[in-house]
Amino acid sequence: MNDANPVRGEASLRVRGEGVVLRPSFAALVAAEVELGPLFALVERAADGRLALAEMVGLFWHCVRERPEWLTREVLGEAVAESGLAKATPVLRALLGQILSGR
């Protein structure tokens, strides 16, 4: 499932050695906004370096395009924590860019 299409605003994150595709669809962003608050405020917190790890994982969770049975939010969070922010940041940047530009 590592076939992220950047033209569609998708990004890929490695979880347990597999590529998990994240896509900021309208439904995904609405669900993220219900949980995390207004998306513009989320973008501002990220730009200011104030985005919490839980918020990042929450956004990622809602944007998972096809969720395999083994993928839980805890597994996703652990993968982000284990791989480090340096590997998660490009994925976050891609999603936030889509939120701001809308495609």
Side-chain angles (χ1 to χ4, degrees), residues 21-97:
V21 176
L22 307 178
R23 182 175 184 207
S25 66
F26 176 75
L29 295 178
V30 168
E33 191 169 51
V34 166
E35 177 185 340
L36 304 170
L39 295 178
F40 192 71
L42 182 92
V43 171
E44 286 181 330
R45 286 193 301 280
D48 290 343
R50 297 182 294 113
L51 188 68
L53 180 60
E55 291 177 306
M56 180 189 306
V57 171
L59 178 62
F60 288 1
W61 177 251
H62 290 293
C63 290
V64 172
R65 187 180 71 189
E66 296 173 17
R67 194 170 294 137
E69 285 187 32
W70 56 265
L71 184 62
T72 64
R73 191 165 177 156
E74 182 177 348
V75 167
L76 180 63
E78 287 296 323
V80 170
E82 286 173 9
S83 66
L85 293 178
K87 291 205 177 181
T89 298
V91 175
L92 178 64
R93 185 176 298 126
L95 295 178
L96 295 178

